[in-house]
Structure formats: C-alpha cells, structure tokens
Amino acid sequence: MTDYRFPRAAMCLRDRPVRSRRLDGANRGEFITRTALGFTLWAVGICLSPALRAQSTTFNGTVALSSQLVDRGQAITGNTPIVQGAASLTFPAGWSVGLSGAAVVRSPSRLAEALVQASRHWSLSDDWQMQASLLYYRYSTGNRSGTSDRTEAGLNWTYRDVLTLGVSAIYVLGAEGHRPRGAADLSLHWPLAEHFSVSAGAGVAQSLAAPYRPYRYAHSRPYRHDSTGLSRYGHVGLLWASGSWRIELDRIMADPATRRQSGYLGASPWVATISRSF
C-alpha cells in the first residue's frame, strides 16, 4: 500500500550512467529480468494492438502537489514539497496502461520515483471487481531512502469502490541473493456529506530495504543489516473532492522498523496533497 494512493505517472524515466562492465550474477539476473519483462510487454502489445485499435480508449491525467512522498510507510523523499504527474489509457476490454513520476519541487528535472504499470480488471458481480497488475518502479540513483528499483505483480479485489484488498509479490532488481517478498494491503474509502469522505488503509509487507544500524564505535561507518522482518504501516485521512479537484490530509502511521528503513529520512506524521484531474 502506498499511504497516498495518487496514481503516480507521466514523464520520461531517467537514464542511468552507462558503464562498461561484465555481468556478474546479480547484474545478469537483473538483465534477464528486465529483458524478459520488456519482451513480455512487447508480445502482449503485439497481440492486443488489433483489438485495441478497433475500440475507443479513455485518457486520464492528474497533476498534484504533496508535502512528501511516502510509500508503504517509508519516506522516499525528505519532508519537502513534491510535484507528481500521472497519465493512463484505459480500454473498453478492461486493459489499462499508465506512467507516473514524482520529483522534488526544487529539483523538478530529477525524478525521485517513476512507475510503469499495466493492468487488467474484471467485473465479478454487481458489487465486486478484480484487477491484476504488473508494475515497475524506478528510483533516482543515490536516493537517500535506500530504496531499490523493483517489479511487482499484484491482485486486488474491490467492493463497491469502498473496500479494497490487495496482495503483491515484489522482486527487488539487482539485489544479490534476493528472494521475492510479499505484501498485503487493505484500504477503505467512505463517503461523507458535502464532498467529504474518509480514507484509511493498513498493510504489512516483508521488508524491502534493510535498516541502517551503526557499529558501537564512533569512527566506524554504518552498515546495512539484512532483514526479512515485517513492516507495518497505515494511514487515516480526510478527503475533499469536487469536480476535477481533490484535497487530502493523511495521518501516516508506521512501526519504528519501517521508519528506520529510510536511514536518516523519516516519514512525516502528516502528508497533505492537492491534485487536479483532466
């Protein structure tokens, strides 16, 4: 779960410096993973393109300004204003693709996080919907949160656009000896009167980034202790929406281990966001 579920997207992914090096075990695994993902998306696109061209599509976009970028209770940026953008295409057959990006306002040319997503949804009944999705997250090189690029495969079940339960399988790219991690999230959106609603969420995930733990001696450098423990996080917020405008104030909650995963970054207890859709 992302504590603020803004559909992050839009903008180009930032290229990393090209280095001449041999592919060791970890790099070879990352290369194979990205190649397989790219080939799969290309093959799916080839198979679907005739049908999609024959149907009308819907474009959705959103821009937003937030006080901080927080993902599953973990701070991705410092407590500083963040600009976000999202764009997606939805097809009548139930497929959708989207891009999103977030950057610190004072450095808008450098993306703090970028996301590519492909999904498919089905109507199970008048009350229930199901969605399967594949996501690729990319973070700026040398980000202070210590977050690594990753892929996620997820399944979500939604009841009347009010209650959503999701499970995810997560694979961190480029991590030597890394095994897929799991996450489960539950979110609630309850309408109130006069354009207001309450949003809440809670989740648990196997730790993706190991917390920083210093040695006993002052002159020693910190090291990252590998941990596969569970991270617990959540949020409670008040949402106002009218037309294409939306304002949300969330109280962020996370256990101490989750907060320490960001090193010296910490998720602010409050995150405010204003957004406009088009």
Side-chain angles (χ1 to χ4, degrees):
M1 184 187 79
T2 301
D3 289 325
Y4 178 60
R5 300 295 292 184
F6 172 71
R8 306 192 198 96
M11 312 175 193
C12 299
L13 298 182
R14 180 174 178 270
D15 294 330
R16 295 191 173 188
V18 178
R19 299 178 181 176
S20 177
R21 59 182 181 185
R22 297 180 58 188
L23 293 176
D24 55 21
N27 291 325
R28 187 181 300 111
E30 179 179 351
F31 174 78
I32 293 174
T33 300
R34 294 191 179 188
T35 301
L37 176 59
F39 179 80
T40 300
L41 294 177
W42 173 81
V44 170
I46 291 296
C47 294
L48 292 178
S49 57
L52 296 181
R53 282 197 299 267
Q55 303 177 16
S56 61
T57 60
T58 302
F59 173 82
N60 297 286
T62 305
V63 291
L65 183 66
S66 301
S67 59
Q68 187 179 25
L69 183 61
V70 179
D71 189 355
R72 288 194 169 103
Q74 182 182 0
I76 305 301
T77 64
N79 190 8
T80 183
I82 300 296
V83 61
Q84 297 174 276
S88 65
L89 288 174
T90 303
F91 307 98
W95 289 93
S96 64
V97 292
L99 296 172
S100 66
V104 176
V105 170
R106 63 173 180 266
S107 302
S109 62
R110 180 177 181 180
L111 289 183
E113 180 187 76
L115 169 65
V116 181
Q117 176 177 351
S119 63
R120 173 76 160 86
H121 74 269
W122 299 266
S123 178
L124 304 179
S125 68
D126 291 340
D127 296 328
W128 286 93
Q129 284 193 336
M130 178 180 175
Q131 177 176 286
S133 57
L134 181 63
L135 306 94
Y136 167 59
Y137 289 86
R138 182 167 183 172
Y139 298 91
S140 62
T141 304
N143 69 86
R144 297 186 298 169
S145 68
T147 308
S148 301
D149 297 353
R150 70 180 191 270
T151 58
E152 288 191 22
L155 290 174
N156 293 277
W157 295 268
T158 301
Y159 176 75
R160 292 188 174 182
D161 292 328
V162 172
L163 186 68
T164 299
L165 171 65
V167 293
S168 302
I170 306 166
Y171 186 82
V172 178
L173 300 175
E176 186 174 358
H178 175 76
R179 295 181 180 179
R181 309 289 176 92
D185 302 285
L186 182 67
S187 62
L188 173 70
H189 181 269
W190 191 262
L192 302 175
E194 299 298 331
H195 305 289
F196 285 94
S197 60
V198 172
S199 64
V204 60
Q206 291 179 293
S207 300
L208 301 180
Y212 284 89
R213 296 184 181 177
Y215 287 113
R216 292 178 179 272
Y217 304 102
H219 63 272
S220 300
R221 298 181 62 185
Y223 71 100
R224 298 191 73 183
H225 174 72
D226 188 21
S227 170
T228 57
L230 296 178
S231 300
R232 299 171 181 84
Y233 47 86
H235 80 280
V236 177
L238 183 64
L239 171 68
W240 176 89
S242 179
S244 60
W245 289 96
R246 167 176 167 146
I247 301 174
E248 185 171 356
L249 179 64
D250 290 319
R251 178 67 168 88
I252 305 300
M253 295 166 285
D255 58 34
T258 303
R259 292 181 178 274
R260 286 196 299 269
Q261 286 181 355
S262 297
Y264 56 88
L265 290 180
S268 172
W270 294 95
V271 173
T273 301
I274 180 171
S275 64
R276 186 178 188 279
S277 300
F278 55 90

